[in-house]
Amino acid sequence: MPRFFFDLAYGGDVYHDAKGTYLPKVVRAKDRAFDMVRKMTVDAKGQDDVVCTVRNSNCTQLMQITIQHD
């Protein structure tokens, strides 16, 4: 099963996922990234942009999900 890493950036801070999460498919990683961004947007009270970058075990970026606030 592949391992995916979810790095979060918001409020000027970046949190790198050092452990990763084993998931069966990349679509599950996408769903998890969307869930994380949604939760962080609520927790950040809509003040900052929230970015989740998904990497594989080779550190290759697979996707980046961003919610921008004006």
Side-chain angles (χ1 to χ4, degrees), residues 29-35 37 50-54 61 63-67:
K30 181 180 81 171
D31 292 342
R32 180 177 169 88
F34 271 112
D35 289 343
V37 169
V50 179
V51 180
C52 182
T53 302
V54 181
Q61 181 178 321
M63 67 189 81
Q64 189 172 64
I65 298 168
T66 304
I67 293 181

Side-chain angles (χ1 to χ4, degrees), residues 21-57:
T21 302
Y22 290 97
L23 297 168
K25 299 179 182 180
V26 73
V27 70
R28 297 290 169 100
K30 181 180 81 171
D31 292 342
R32 180 177 169 88
F34 271 112
D35 289 343
M36 292 173 78
V37 169
R38 281 188 207 109
K39 182 178 180 341
M40 294 308 297
T41 301
V42 170
D43 290 349
K45 311 238 186 317
Q47 302 295 321
D48 298 307
D49 295 350
V50 179
V51 180
C52 182
T53 302
V54 181
R55 300 178 286 117
N56 64 14
S57 58

